[in-house]
């Protein structure tokens, strides 16, 4: 991994915790999740695909009455694997998933160390549910300490879906095989998107702020979740 300097030329907000089961089921009452590892509806929503997370963001924007010109995503019935993300995503004020650069910025909260809480694994259980302390299940959001920007569970609990940064910006090397959908309207046929933060099943190495995963947009698992973001004026 190489260190990079990235300028995010916009103001944006990110939710202080991952979207919960209770919140997501207001959108889709019959949404399935891993009940065997989710003892409470305040646990983060899980078994969520990237496409489902995007649909939730569109629905939430509609609930707040945002005008169509401020929607980051198309109507729900148009959000399919063939849909192409455009560069208007980050210029609109609707709810959306964070980009990788945004996610890593708020995760680090100014820290240049492996995790937002420093270089010592001994401090990690104060901030994260992971393989060493999760007891093999998810936990309600907000029980541990937040990072310096006030975000809870930014490491561990569920991993978080993000948007891949456009390759033309050169922010990250090593885009996944089959990468076709970015922020600038590449050809349709999405295969993978970014996934950050690690989960309740992972070791500390997988929770690092710089750790990147690329996962199929339709995949669902007990450790797949998300938190919402939006661009501000």
């Amino acid at each position: 991994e190489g260190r990079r300097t990235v300028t995010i030329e916009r103001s944006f907000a990110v939710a202080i915790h991952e979207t919960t089961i209770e919140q997501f089921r207001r959108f889709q009452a019959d949404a399935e999740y891993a009940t065997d590892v989710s003892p409470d509806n305040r646990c983060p929503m899980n078994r969520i695909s990237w496409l489902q997370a995007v649909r939730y963001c569109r629905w939430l924007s509609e609930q707040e009455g945002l005008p169509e010109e401020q929607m980051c995503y198309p109507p729900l019935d148009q959000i399919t694997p063939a849909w192409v993300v455009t560069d208007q995503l980050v210029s609109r004020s609707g709810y959306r998933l964070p980009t990788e650069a945004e996610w890593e910025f708020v995760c680090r909260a100014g820290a240049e160390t492996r995790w937002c809480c420093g270089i010592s694994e001994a401090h990690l259980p104060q901030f994260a549910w992971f393989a060493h302390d999760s007891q093999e299940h998810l936990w309600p959001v907000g029980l541990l300490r937040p990072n310096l920007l006030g975000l809870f569970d930014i490491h561990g609990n569920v991993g978080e879906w993000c948007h891949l940064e456009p390759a033309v910006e050169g922010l990250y090397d090593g885009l996944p095989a089959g990468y076709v959908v970015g922020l600038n309207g590449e050809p349709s046929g999405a295969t993978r998107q970014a996934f950050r933060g690690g989960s309740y099943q992972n070791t500390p190495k997988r929770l690092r702020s710089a750790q990147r995963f690329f996962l199929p947009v339709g995949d669902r698992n007990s450790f797949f979740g998300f938190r919402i973001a939006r661009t501000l004026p």
Side-chain angles (χ1 to χ4, degrees), residues 207-229:
L207 270 61
R208 292 175 302 117
S209 302
Q211 179 70 63
R212 307 175 70 212
F213 300 90
F214 308 113
L215 300 174
V217 296
D219 273 16
R220 302 168 63 209
N221 210 309
S222 67
F223 53 86
F224 289 11
F226 69 104
R227 77 177 69 218
I228 57 175

Side-chain angles (χ1 to χ4, degrees), residues 10-208:
R10 57 185 170 273
S11 296
F12 66 99
V14 176
I16 64 170
H17 60 71
E18 295 155 338
T19 300
T20 65
I21 295 168
E22 180 182 25
Q23 289 173 322
F24 192 87
R25 294 196 110 193
R26 292 174 189 162
F27 159 56
Q28 185 180 344
D30 62 350
E32 296 180 356
Y33 61 95
T35 56
D36 56 327
V37 296
S38 308
D40 192 297
N41 64 7
R42 294 170 298 163
C43 290
M45 186 61 188
N46 55 82
R47 295 198 75 239
I48 285 295
S49 70
W50 184 86
L51 291 170
Q52 286 178 293
V54 164
R55 291 185 186 113
Y56 175 83
C57 292
R58 167 71 195 208
W59 170 82
L60 190 60
S61 298
E62 292 175 354
Q63 297 305 297
E64 292 207 359
L66 296 177
E68 187 64 33
E69 63 268 19
Q70 292 301 319
M71 296 288 183
C72 297
Y73 305 126
L76 295 175
D77 61 356
Q78 297 179 29
I79 300 174
T80 69
W83 161 65
V84 178
V85 185
T86 74
D87 56 5
Q88 295 177 325
L89 175 78
V90 296
S91 65
R92 297 181 175 184
S93 63
Y95 290 100
R96 57 177 174 82
L97 299 180
T99 70
E100 277 198 282
E102 289 172 338
W103 186 94
E104 189 164 332
F105 177 84
V106 299
C107 172
R108 290 184 177 279
E112 297 182 1
T113 49
R114 295 184 184 97
W115 307 284
C116 71
C117 54
I119 61 172
S120 173
E121 289 185 17
H123 295 153
L124 203 52
Q126 299 178 51
F127 295 83
W129 300 113
F130 62 112
H132 296 183
D133 66 354
S134 71
Q135 301 176 38
E136 300 184 358
H137 64 80
L138 296 165
W139 289 77
V141 298
L143 295 183
L144 300 177
R145 296 180 65 179
N147 71 4
L148 290 179
L149 285 179
L151 274 63
F152 295 90
D153 304 308
I154 195 70
H155 301 294
N157 226 2
V158 289
E160 301 177 14
W161 286 111
C162 299
H163 284 285
L164 284 166
E165 296 292 341
V168 294
E169 289 187 16
L171 302 186
Y172 295 99
D173 297 327
L175 291 173
Y179 169 75
V180 290
V181 172
L183 303 185
N184 290 305
E186 288 86 350
S188 63
T191 55
R192 295 175 182 267
Q193 279 288 353
F195 189 74
R196 305 293 291 258
S199 77
Y200 74 99
Q201 296 182 335
N202 291 138
T203 59
K205 179 180 178 181
R206 297 293 188 178
L207 270 61
R208 292 175 302 117

